[in-house]
DNA sequence: GTACATTTAATGTAGTAACATCTATTAGTG
DNA sequence: CACTAATAGATGTTACTACATTAAATGTAC
């Protein structure tokens, strides 16, 4: 629970208005909705280009990160889905892709024979280690704004999702 | 060019941390990057569900809105692409879909015979008019935050994209 | 004006997403 | 326990995305 006092300089060039050539928005909320979609598409496109050079897709990377977060503890396919940024992906087939590249391995779960346990391999860990510095740099592209501003946006986005 | 003083209450439940079950982030920028992608996926999923009931996709709707914005002035396919939220879509085939539904019409451009002019039809305008109140309501789901907060996020997102 | 490069939109293709269905296993109920 | 419902994950199908290629028209350099 925090209180934020912000003093922020905002440039009025290259705004969402000029980017999508829409002069006027019905409300700040409309502008925000379109800006969120536009900015995230922009972000995901850059992400796609970045990962393409490493023979991996953003979703596959997302799964690998989840697996690494588990350390050596196996995780069920359905639990991977729950933690993904894009939960509409078919996790089953995503794991297939990682298996084919020897980045993950799959064992049947002893407690529940319907479930399948997934663990990251040494090779998967190596790939992530290799990517880490570049991903950090990629994420820190946002440092044009202050850490406090970044946290404020995060908190407001949380609030928006929570409202449902 | 504006100065913002903000006083904001932030709830600490149902944050991105609990949503994707990641306890800790490397930096506020990492949290923001993941939160943007997660929130926009959430938003787009809801959008998809909404439009599904009206036999139209979010991208098709986006094109229709651009066409309406032109009033009766025709617009080239390439100019539609420039104004789209997701510029990776194949605008040519999107316009095909609108044509098939009689929501838009296509005429060859007199100045440049390579180009194709697109205009919205009466039927397209009617569909948009029908959707307008629902879309407004959909966008205003964000009114859990203040208009000033919405504008602040928009401005910060603009700043982030501008930095490149 | 001819030759070559560029632009505009359409189309071909591979991979993926969205959604439904299927099989195997477990949970719940009488 | 038998029976039905629910769950986990795999798989089939359709549509769409991302990307490359093509075809036609225009621009540009000589």
């Amino acid at each position: 629970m925090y209180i934020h006092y912000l003093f922020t300089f905002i440039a009025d060039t290259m705004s969402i208005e000029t980017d999508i050539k829409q002069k006027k928005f019905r409300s700040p909320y409309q502008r925000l909705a379109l800006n969120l979609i536009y900015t995230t598409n922009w972000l995901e496109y850059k992400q796609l280009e970045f990962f393409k050079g490493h023979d991996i897709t953003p979703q596959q990377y997302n799964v690998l990160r989840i697996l690494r977060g588990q350390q050596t503890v196996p995780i069920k396919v359905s639990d991977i889905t729950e933690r993904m940024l894009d939960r509409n992906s078919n996790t089953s087939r995503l794991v297939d892709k990682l298996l084919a590249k020897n980045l993950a391995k799959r064992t049947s779960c002893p407690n529940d024979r319907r479930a399948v346990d997934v663990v990251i391999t040494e090779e998967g860990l190596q790939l992530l280690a290799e990517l880490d510095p570049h991903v950090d740099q990629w994420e820190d592209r946002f440092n044009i704004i202050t850490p406090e501003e970044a946290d404020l946006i995060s908190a407001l986005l949380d609030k928006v999702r929570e409202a449902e």
Side-chain angles (χ1 to χ4, degrees), chain A:
Chain A
M1 209 174 288
Y2 304 100
I3 293 171
H4 289 259
Y5 293 92
L6 276 188
F7 180 98
T8 309
F9 166 82
I10 310 286
D12 57 2
T13 55
M14 287 311 286
S15 62
I16 183 73
E17 278 87 346
T18 56
D19 277 347
I20 67 171
K21 299 181 180 56
Q22 182 166 333
K23 293 191 197 86
K24 208 171 144 36
F25 293 96
R26 190 179 54 78
S27 72
Y29 303 119
Q30 184 189 39
R31 180 189 287 111
L32 176 56
L34 299 186
N35 209 338
L36 271 177
I37 293 174
Y38 182 77
T39 302
T40 302
N41 277 328
W42 170 86
L43 195 63
E44 286 183 333
Y45 182 74
K46 294 199 167 286
Q47 198 186 28
L48 189 68
E49 285 205 311
F50 167 70
F51 282 122
K52 203 179 297 176
H54 297 279
D55 191 31
I56 196 173
T57 66
Q59 273 89 355
Q60 287 169 24
Y61 177 78
N62 190 204
V63 173
L64 269 190
R65 285 293 295 259
I66 291 167
L67 293 180
R68 180 168 67 177
Q70 285 295 110
Q71 310 277 17
T72 53
V73 180
I75 181 173
K76 290 196 302 173
V77 172
S78 56
D79 290 337
I80 295 175
T81 306
E82 269 189 19
R83 300 189 190 188
M84 287 187 69
L85 297 174
D86 180 2
R87 296 179 178 173
N88 300 318
S89 297
N90 191 326
T91 313
S92 203
R93 281 191 259 238
L94 270 179
V95 170
D96 281 347
K97 298 278 161 59
L98 295 179
L99 242 77
K101 294 179 205 166
N102 277 314
L103 300 174
K105 57 180 179 237
R106 187 157 53 182
T107 55
S108 67
C109 176
N111 314 344
D112 185 342
R113 288 197 299 163
R114 288 169 303 183
V116 168
D117 276 340
V118 184
V119 197
I120 192 167
T121 62
E122 189 55 44
E123 218 169 323
L125 287 170
Q126 272 172 27
L127 175 61
L128 286 186
E130 200 183 301
L131 292 177
D132 277 343
H134 303 94
V135 172
D136 291 355
Q137 202 180 6
W138 184 84
E139 285 163 354
D140 285 346
R141 68 174 57 228
F142 285 164
N143 67 10
I144 184 78
I145 62 177
T146 68
E148 289 76 22
E149 288 171 331
D151 275 337
L152 175 62
I153 300 182
S154 282
L156 291 174
L157 292 178
D158 290 347
K159 203 168 163 185
V160 161
R161 289 197 317 280
E162 187 189 2
E164 305 262 318

